[in-house]
Amino acid sequence: MNRPAAGRVGVVALRVVRQLKRDRRTIGLIVFAPIVLMILFGYALSGDMSGVHLGLVDGGGHDALRAHLVSIQDFDILRLGSESDAERLISEGRLDGAVLLRPEEVRVLLDASSLQIAGAIAAAVQAGTAKERAGLETTGRTKGAENAIVTRYIFGYDLKMMDTVGPAILGLVVFFFTFINAAIAFIRERSQGTLEKFMVSPLSRVEMVSGYVLGFSLFTILQSATTLFVVTTLFGVPLRGSPLTAMAVVLLLGAGALVLGSFFSNFARSEFQVVQFIPLIITPQIVLCGIWWPLQSVPEFIRPFSYILPLTYAAHALRAVMLKGAGVADILYPDLLALGIFFLIFFAAATLMLRREVA
Amino acid sequence: MREIEPAISARGVTKSFGRQRVLDSLTVDIPSGVTYCLLGPNGSGKTTFIRAIVRLLRLDEGEMSVLGRPVSEVDKIYSQIGYMTQHKALYPDLTVQENMEFYAGLYGLKKQQRVARLEELLEMVDLSLHRSRLAGALSGGMYQRLSLACTLIHEPELLLLDEPTVGVDPRLRQTFWEYFNRLAKEGKTVLITTHLMDEAEKCRMVGYMRAGRMVAEGSPEEILHLAGLRPILKLWLAEPERDAAQLQAQGYEIEVEDGVVQVRLESHAQIKEVLAQVSPLDMRLAEPKLEEAFLRLSEAA
Ligand SMILES: Nc1ncnc2c1ncn2[C@@H]1O[C@H](COP(=O)(O)OP(=O)(O)OP(=O)(O)O)[C@@H](O)[C@H]1O
Ligand SMILES: [Mg+2]
């Protein structure tokens, strides 16, 4: 095989752009789908915020208090592993407070930015401890029941749901569309016979996939630019970091989705079958990427999956860039690194699958 | 005849798909600078043979060389090969011109060269007026023509055309064949598969495949001869019995049917000789059909 030539990569990229440009429906979807999704998810989930999100770090003991907290209808209890998890989620505005139960003490973390909710949580804890004390008195075991309740206030960002979800939706939409479009494009290359013709031309497999990455990247830029514009102007999500950094994250994610799509096109015989990949490839990412509920609440045995899915890193990085003003250096590890590795692995897999000798 | 090194040389080439032997120790030489027509019934292995030449599949057994290189190195000379697949390998959502530009770009044609080549080929396949139409909106024959133009764009030395004229109207087919023969005159090798015998007759060489083997090979005339088919001269004579007897006495193969004397000729040169003997009221020459030759040959095989 000859060395990759920029010229041929450019020729493939230009062709991909010409094809996509002509496909008005796809262009429309690329631009409007993110907006529609954001409205949908953003508002559907912000309604959910009326409940009180309370973290619970369970170190044992205090059965009556626990039972009391769980029994309160307005409380959404999220079980967490450690106090630091709870702290972080509160500071990110995803929890209103947390209760840490240990046999020797009860610690209460409250979000100082929403005092009303903090008050409700404190009152519930008081009531729960009172019940616990009453229970112990009837059984005559008063000793050790006089545990201190330590209360700590943390300043959360008090983010609206749209703020937390917006950046991640950008990643989700780019991933979804690039994956599907790339898989379909490669299936067509096969069924049209153009792939066979490439194989008998100076175009190498690396050049071909690179050309696709380049061509699709232009559309990813278009898509992320419009989405960023809409989330910041229409939905008022802050963009504290550089839009270029955000775009870099999305481009890397899009490139990963493209090679993944190319790779999976080998396992589908028709465009119709590509659609059947959605539940397999796309849905787990949506569920496990940490957009809708924090990764800490994903059951431990599934959590490793979250950490191999690219959307997890993209969502995390985008959130950091947009909400906290992170720069490239801040998200290099683990987010950009993970996205880069994902891209490289599937780039290699996709090119290897485009075998020259078909049989 | 320019019998240098053959453009393609296959020795005992064998390929199976599962238990089916699609190429069965096929041995064939395709000389450079000729039009070579590969014929054979559906499923006889024509497409498989072409795909083996460009190494789209690996041989089970046998050896093959392409333009003087072993087939294992054929990827180094892909820029000298023009391969037209049986499915047309175009992008329906690009225009005629965009499709051609894309393939020109793949082969690294420079701008000036590309423009000139594009015009020339658009002219040849008669699509100049349709250059801005989407390929997907073309008629079947036009689509086929565009595919041919894309295959020729980089002026390949070796052309492998798998049924290039399917659905193309007779006038344009004529143009195509003139073009192919011109290419062969320039020293290029053109390997074509077809199911049309009248096309095969236009080729310098014909190979007839059956069940993965070469049943017969040679120029169209040689094939006819091999099958024992001769041109027949039909004579309407004033005294058929007498003239028939006279011709027969001189060693001609004669048959009389409904008073028409039929002479089986060894060659066309014999027409003159026959006419020196008899003066017919009317006559007709019946050329043998290549199709019949192949039917005979494949029955014999
Ligand atoms: N990739 C493959 N896998 C399995 N069988 C195959 C494959 N390619 C071809 N065949 C079989 O090999 C045989 C020869 O096929 P081939 O396409 O070479 O025939 P052909 O002479 O080109 O026929 P046609 O005139 O219809 O184009 C057929 O029976 C076909 O089913
Ligand atoms: Mg065929």
Side-chain angles (χ1 to χ4, degrees):
Chain A
M1 236 193 303
N2 34 21
R3 254 187 292 129
R8 284 193 290 267
V9 173
V11 169
V12 176
L14 174 67
R15 195 210 78 216
V16 169
V17 170
R18 278 177 161 172
Q19 287 182 295
L20 284 173
K21 209 176 62 188
R22 200 152 279 146
D23 191 351
R24 295 272 146 74
R25 188 185 42 83
T26 300
I27 302 258
L29 282 177
I30 281 177
V31 175
F32 290 108
I35 302 171
V36 172
L37 275 183
M38 237 168 282
I39 294 172
L40 219 71
F41 281 126
Y43 286 119
L45 287 165
S46 60
D48 200 47
M49 287 300 279
S50 57
V52 175
H53 293 258
L54 182 66
L56 182 65
V57 181
D58 201 342
H62 309 283
D63 296 335
L65 172 55
R66 186 185 306 104
H68 177 69
L69 291 175
V70 170
S71 71
I72 298 175
Q73 288 265 308
D74 276 350
F75 282 11
D76 273 346
I77 306 276
L78 183 66
R79 290 178 186 270
L80 302 171
S82 72
E83 182 164 359
S84 58
D85 279 350
E87 244 172 80
R88 196 160 39 82
L89 291 171
I90 293 171
S91 72
E92 284 176 4
R94 302 220 245 163
L95 282 182
D96 299 305
V99 177
L100 289 81
L101 302 178
R102 285 188 208 132
E104 68 281 1
E105 65 170 351
V106 174
R107 290 167 70 84
V108 184
L109 305 184
L110 295 172
D111 183 357
S113 65
S114 49
L115 288 173
Q116 255 180 319
I117 295 177
I121 295 172
V125 174
Q126 287 291 350
T129 353
K131 273 192 188 172
E132 186 175 322
R133 209 170 284 136
L136 289 177
E137 270 158 17
T138 53
T139 53
R141 287 168 48 204
T142 44
K143 256 220 154 300
E146 298 300 316
N147 289 335
I149 298 176
V150 184
T151 305
R152 213 150 59 85
Y153 283 95
I154 292 166
F155 282 88
Y157 282 115
D158 190 24
L159 297 175
K160 287 179 296 168
M161 194 63 191
M162 187 61 83
D163 294 6
T164 35
V165 167
I169 287 203
L170 171 57
L172 171 66
V173 169
V174 165
F175 191 91
F176 186 91
F177 278 94
T178 314
F179 175 82
I180 297 287
N181 279 330
I184 288 179
F186 275 87
I187 289 211
R188 288 199 182 146
E189 297 273 13
R190 261 167 222 284
S191 59
Q192 275 164 191
T194 43
L195 188 70
E196 183 157 317
K197 212 165 147 117
F198 285 161
M199 295 297 176
V200 188
S201 83
L203 183 77
S204 73
R205 297 173 288 174
V206 169
E207 287 165 355
M208 179 178 172
V209 179
S210 304
Y212 261 94
V213 171
L214 192 63
F216 268 81
S217 290
L218 294 177
F219 284 84
T220 308
I221 290 174
L222 173 75
Q223 188 172 28
S224 42
T226 50
T227 314
L228 280 175
F229 179 77
V230 170
V231 283
T232 48
T233 54
L234 261 145
F235 296 108
V237 175
L239 180 55
R240 300 208 169 88
S242 155
L244 292 181
T245 317
M247 233 173 245
V249 174
V250 177
L251 277 176
L252 200 52
L253 176 74
L258 181 125
V259 288
L260 190 73
S262 162
F263 175 74
F264 272 95
S265 73
N266 293 291
F267 305 109
R269 232 165 278 125
S270 65
E271 282 127 311
F272 173 69
Q273 288 184 347
V274 169
V275 177
Q276 298 172 335
F277 284 139
I278 294 175
L280 191 71
I281 309 290
I282 308 283
T283 317
Q285 308 227 42
I286 299 178
V287 174
L288 296 177
C289 72
I291 303 182
W292 322 113
W293 43 85
L295 286 179
Q296 286 77 9
S297 70
V298 172
E300 220 151 317
F301 69 98
I302 303 180
R303 218 175 295 169
F305 277 110
S306 290
Y307 288 109
I308 58 168
L309 298 176
L311 199 54
T312 307
Y313 297 96
H316 184 251
L318 282 173
R319 222 175 242 171
V321 172
M322 295 183 68
L323 306 182
K324 295 183 193 145
V328 172
D330 304 315
I331 51 172
L332 207 53
Y333 179 85
D335 299 328
L336 291 183
L337 185 72
L339 289 173
I341 291 174
F342 182 86
F343 168 70
L344 288 178
I345 289 176
F346 280 96
F347 185 91
T351 38
L352 286 177
M353 289 298 278
L354 290 175
R355 267 163 310 164
R356 212 170 271 280
E357 277 135 10
V358 180
Chain B
M1 221 170 156
R2 328 170 354 125
E3 290 282 1
I4 340 157
E5 195 172 359
I8 298 163
S9 162
R11 294 275 165 279
V13 164
T14 299
K15 173 76 193 175
S16 302
F17 290 116
R19 291 169 66 198
Q20 186 194 5
R21 267 200 172 195
V22 178
L23 297 178
D24 189 1
S25 50
L26 180 70
T27 295
V28 58
D29 278 330
I30 295 170
S32 325
V34 301
T35 43
Y36 189 109
C37 189
L38 207 52
L39 291 160
N42 291 138
S44 54
K46 303 180 296 293
T47 300
T48 307
F49 179 52
I50 289 185
R51 296 183 74 222
I53 294 170
V54 289
R55 211 171 150 73
L56 280 169
L57 31 90
R58 208 190 284 275
L59 299 176
D60 298 339
E61 271 170 55
E63 277 168 30
M64 185 144 62
S65 74
V66 181
L67 296 179
R69 282 179 186 257
V71 72
S72 55
E73 290 175 16
V74 79
D75 53 333
K76 297 205 175 66
I77 49 165
Y78 275 158
S79 57
Q80 298 174 39
I81 297 178
Y83 171 44
M84 180 168 167
T85 57
Q86 208 168 345
H87 28 253
K88 287 133 198 170
L90 295 172
Y91 294 95
D93 46 355
L94 293 185
T95 65
V96 168
Q97 182 161 348
E98 283 168 348
N99 267 292
M100 291 178 74
E101 280 171 356
F102 172 65
Y103 282 110
L106 274 196
Y107 287 93
L109 265 64
K110 298 278 167 300
K111 177 116 204 275
Q112 216 175 355
Q113 191 188 3
R114 193 177 66 205
V115 172
R117 199 70 192 133
L118 213 102
E119 292 308 321
E120 182 193 339
L121 286 172
L122 277 174
E123 189 73 25
M124 200 278 281
V125 298
D126 198 13
L127 285 176
S128 301
L129 296 176
H130 303 285
R131 66 177 73 210
S132 314
R133 274 175 77 178
L134 289 184
L138 296 177
S139 77
M142 288 178 173
Y143 205 73
Q144 188 83 8
R145 279 145 55 185
L146 176 58
S147 174
L148 179 66
C150 288
T151 305
L152 295 170
I153 195 116
H154 58 293
E155 300 188 69
E157 282 302 307
L158 173 61
L159 276 162
L160 306 170
L161 308 176
D162 205 347
E163 305 196 14
T165 55
V166 172
V168 175
D169 63 58
R171 189 182 55 83
L172 235 100
R173 258 176 36 212
Q174 182 72 26
T175 317
F176 281 13
W177 280 93
E178 277 161 19
Y179 192 82
F180 295 153
N181 282 317
R182 201 167 84 220
L183 290 177
K185 272 212 195 80
E186 289 167 11
K188 310 209 155 108
T189 309
V190 189
L191 175 63
I192 300 174
T193 73
T194 183
H195 286 288
L196 300 172
M197 291 295 159
D198 63 315
E199 294 198 330
E201 279 162 12
K202 294 196 182 85
C203 276
R204 257 289 286 292
M205 290 194 70
V206 181
Y208 187 78
M209 281 183 74
R210 229 179 75 115
R213 287 173 164 277
M214 196 60 81
V215 181
E217 198 195 15
S219 66
E221 296 76 26
E222 283 168 346
I223 299 264
L224 294 173
H225 208 85
L226 202 67
L229 294 180
R230 314 268 191 275
I232 290 174
L233 189 63
K234 295 185 178 177
L235 301 168
W236 281 261
L237 297 158
E239 290 180 73
E241 271 80 39
R242 198 200 63 189
D243 287 347
Q246 187 193 338
L247 287 170
Q248 208 147 22
Q250 293 185 17
Y252 289 105
E253 249 180 84
I254 300 290
E255 221 174 284
V256 184
E257 219 180 282
D258 293 339
V260 181
V261 176
Q262 305 193 1
V263 188
R264 269 189 94 193
L265 301 172
E266 282 301 320
S267 70
H268 290 97
Q270 284 186 329
I271 299 177
K272 240 177 169 171
E273 299 167 20
V274 172
L275 292 182
Q277 315 269 342
V278 296
S279 10
L281 307 170
D282 195 5
M283 61 181 215
R284 204 161 295 158
L285 183 67
E287 293 285 358
K289 288 271 184 294
L290 203 51
E291 193 156 5
E292 205 186 326
F294 286 126
L295 285 178
R296 284 209 185 179
L297 288 170
S298 53
E299 273 161 23

